[in-house]
Amino acid sequence: KMSRPVQARRLEGVDKNIWVEFVKLAATYSTVNLGQGFPDFPPPDFLKEAFTRALSGEKHMLHQYTRAFGHPPLVKILAQLFGKLLGRELDPMTNVMVTVGAYQALFCCFQAFVDEGDEVIIIEPFFDCYEPMVKMAGGTPVFIPLRPKAPKDGKLMSSADWQLDPAELASKFSERTKAIVLNSPNNPLGKVFSREELELIADLCVKHDALCISDEVYEWLVYDGKEHVRIASLRGMWDRTVSIGSAGKTFSVTGWKVGWTVGPNRLLQHLRTMHQNSVYHCATAAQEVVAQGFQREFERYGKPDSYFVQLPKEMQQKRDQLVQSLVAVGMKPIIPEGTYFLVADISEFKSDVPDVPNSDEPYDSRFAKWMVKNKVNASALFHRIYHGVFVPSRLAVLIRASSGGNTTSGQRPHPDPVLVWKKPGHCLSPW
């Protein structure tokens, strides 16, 4: 047996993962995992049919390696679509790179851009991988919270009520700032950053010559007529922004693990170096099918039969139904402007969760584990993705999308989420 440590120092303090913990709990107690970000409804028929054709057709080369930095049909249609959305001509070979999901795109960004001593600003609450990825690259995370403002007239709080303080944000930038991570629409709040908020961030990036890593995987899941503004389209931001997308979130196929980056060649050349020396290649058939899906959507962009138009309409209806259900049982949901996540105030449920004397474990953690063991539900913990001390642990539950009309058992969900939690095979939400 070796006596000296075998792990690299970069792994110190990043070995814990909330999803590993709760996936294990969900499997142990046969619960429905509402915390992890995947839908339980099928992808659109046109995509499933394209996948069947790709696997069973005569294009046998779809079973072999393709171009390392992206299957040519996919990078070409991505360049067409995002060139239109960003208002500039994109070179598919230099301005687009395909990755193994958005997760690998993020990893490539941090490894390619962040050195020892660099600071990376992370907006709270945040997707849990940002912090450990920054640390593994040798960087120092610098946190800036979205601060809630109480709604007027007793209305339910919206994700729009959570805002950055301009002076506080400016104070986080320094000569050590290498990048800021932007996630809009935001996981877990569902906040869609306004043009004014993005311009504030953009101005500070330009002033301090900082990069922007823009995680936009929920770009098509925006509700209530809100606009998803791409920060790379703002003045001075194209040359310093890497925009990240996901076919998993775009077409409801998270298991395919197809993501991409869009940005200037001066940035993407370094991502290609990381990619070629790690993953090197992404699944060819999945890229081919995603390319066909985007081609279809490009031709139908903005039209009623577009999946990008239909999906958010369906999801908004399910969001509204879930909000009503949560209010009916005494919770106070924060209405998301986008994504398929929802955070709720669970303080009314405190009497149901046993106290643990002399325990330092936050209430939201105890609540979520109690839910897993007693209510057939697995949720995520708000405190794990928020360093701000002002945020009470009562904002604990993170609820994800589910099928709506039909659950995996073929039955319609019960209108009372408390009763639904007691039924195996049902998700809490009609989302």
Side-chain angles (χ1 to χ4, degrees):
K1 183 178 180 180
M2 295 183 67
S3 59
R4 65 179 182 179
V6 295
Q7 77 276 16
R9 288 196 307 272
R10 60 180 168 271
L11 299 183
E12 294 176 2
V14 299
D15 55 326
K16 303 296 183 183
N17 183 285
I18 186 174
W19 306 120
V20 172
E21 179 182 3
F22 272 83
V23 167
K24 182 179 179 180
L25 277 171
T28 300
Y29 291 92
S30 299
T31 62
V32 177
N33 187 347
L34 299 181
Q36 205 164 6
F38 60 88
D40 68 353
F41 48 82
D45 289 341
F46 65 81
L47 209 66
K48 292 189 292 182
E49 293 165 2
F51 201 87
T52 300
R53 290 194 301 270
L55 292 179
S56 60
E58 296 181 357
K59 294 182 178 180
H60 62 89
M61 291 306 294
L62 292 179
H63 298 279
Q64 310 305 326
Y65 294 132
T66 185
R67 177 175 172 270
F69 306 120
H71 190 46
L74 180 54
V75 293
K76 288 177 182 177
I77 188 58
L78 288 173
Q80 275 188 282
L81 176 61
F82 286 99
K84 177 179 180 179
L85 296 173
L86 293 169
R88 65 173 58 244
E89 185 174 346
L90 299 183
D91 184 332
M93 299 299 142
T94 60
N95 295 139
V96 181
M97 186 183 83
V98 177
T99 56
V100 181
Y103 213 86
Q104 192 225 342
L106 288 163
F107 185 79
C108 283
C109 284
F110 294 123
Q111 290 292 320
F113 301 138
V114 179
D115 271 327
E116 293 279 348
D118 287 341
E119 292 182 351
V120 178
I121 298 172
I122 299 175
I123 300 171
E124 303 172 301
F126 56 89
F127 181 45
D128 67 296
C129 79
Y130 300 158
E131 181 181 3
M133 284 188 181
V134 169
K135 290 180 176 179
M136 286 181 68
T140 301
V142 175
F143 301 102
I144 173 73
L146 290 166
R147 298 190 177 275
K149 295 183 178 180
K152 297 179 180 179
D153 304 323
K155 294 181 179 179
L156 289 174
M157 182 174 284
S158 162
S159 58
D161 295 319
W162 294 65
Q163 299 175 6
L164 292 167
D165 178 273
E168 186 177 17
L169 177 62
S171 73
K172 301 296 182 179
F173 281 82
S174 71
E175 69 277 1
R176 296 181 299 277
T177 303
K178 188 62 176 289
I180 184 170
V181 183
L182 172 69
N183 179 206
S184 180
N186 170 270
N187 172 2
L189 270 180
K191 177 180 173 64
V192 177
F193 284 73
S194 68
R195 182 176 295 274
E196 291 73 22
E197 290 173 310
L198 295 177
E199 287 174 345
L200 169 66
I201 294 170
D203 289 346
L204 288 167
C205 285
V206 172
K207 178 179 179 181
H208 295 274
D209 198 22
L211 300 175
C212 179
I213 300 170
S214 185
D215 181 350
E216 303 182 26
V217 298
Y218 297 103
E219 58 193 321
W220 305 109
L221 291 173
V222 178
Y223 314 128
D224 305 314
K226 298 288 183 180
E227 177 190 13
H228 172 63
V229 178
R230 293 167 172 81
I231 195 167
S233 68
L234 301 185
R235 182 169 54 89
M237 289 304 292
W238 165 254
D239 286 334
R240 64 183 67 251
T241 301
V242 174
S243 302
I244 295 172
S246 162
K249 303 304 191 290
T250 298
F251 290 112
S252 307
V253 287
T254 59
W256 293 10
K257 294 298 291 182
V258 176
W260 57 84
T261 60
V262 174
N265 184 51
R266 79 178 193 95
L267 299 182
L268 262 60
Q269 65 179 328
H270 305 301
L271 301 189
R272 292 194 292 270
T273 300
M274 269 303 305
H275 182 77
Q276 74 189 24
N277 289 297
S278 54
V279 172
Y280 187 77
H281 176 269
C282 307
T284 306
Q287 292 188 71
E288 170 73 17
V289 177
V290 171
Q292 292 182 32
F294 269 113
Q295 185 63 52
R296 177 191 186 276
E297 289 305 298
F298 184 75
E299 294 168 359
R300 291 166 172 77
Y301 185 77
K303 297 179 181 178
D305 61 343
S306 166
Y307 185 69
F308 295 168
V309 172
Q310 293 174 349
L311 181 62
K313 286 184 177 179
E314 294 175 5
M315 296 294 283
Q316 181 173 328
Q317 292 175 352
K318 296 173 182 180
R319 177 206 65 177
D320 294 344
Q321 187 177 344
L322 175 59
V323 166
Q324 293 171 5
S325 297
L326 294 177
V327 170
V329 296
M331 289 190 183
K332 296 178 181 178
I334 299 171
I335 301 175
E337 303 161 283
T339 78
Y340 43 47
F341 296 97
L342 188 153
V343 176
D345 182 336
I346 58 171
S347 57
E348 297 299 321
F349 285 78
K350 281 191 176 182
S351 60
D352 294 326
V353 181
D355 289 329
V356 181
N358 303 318
S359 173
D360 293 330
E361 185 177 19
Y363 174 72
D364 63 342
S365 178
R366 290 190 289 114
F367 177 88
K369 291 175 181 177
W370 173 81
M371 289 282 289
V372 171
K373 297 174 183 179
N374 296 280
K375 298 294 184 180
V376 196
N377 168 48
S379 54
L381 314 179
F382 204 54
H383 81 273
R384 296 282 183 90
I385 42 183
Y386 218 120
H387 287 72
V389 295
F390 70 94
V391 177
S393 63
R394 63 187 172 83
L395 293 176
V397 169
L398 187 62
I399 301 166
R400 103 172 144 74
S402 73
S403 59
N406 293 297
T407 64
T408 53
S409 65
Q411 299 175 352
R412 292 192 62 81
H414 197 285
D416 185 340
V418 173
L419 296 181
V420 171
W421 290 335
K422 298 178 182 178
K423 292 186 177 183
H426 285 63
C427 286
L428 175 145
S429 90
W431 239 18

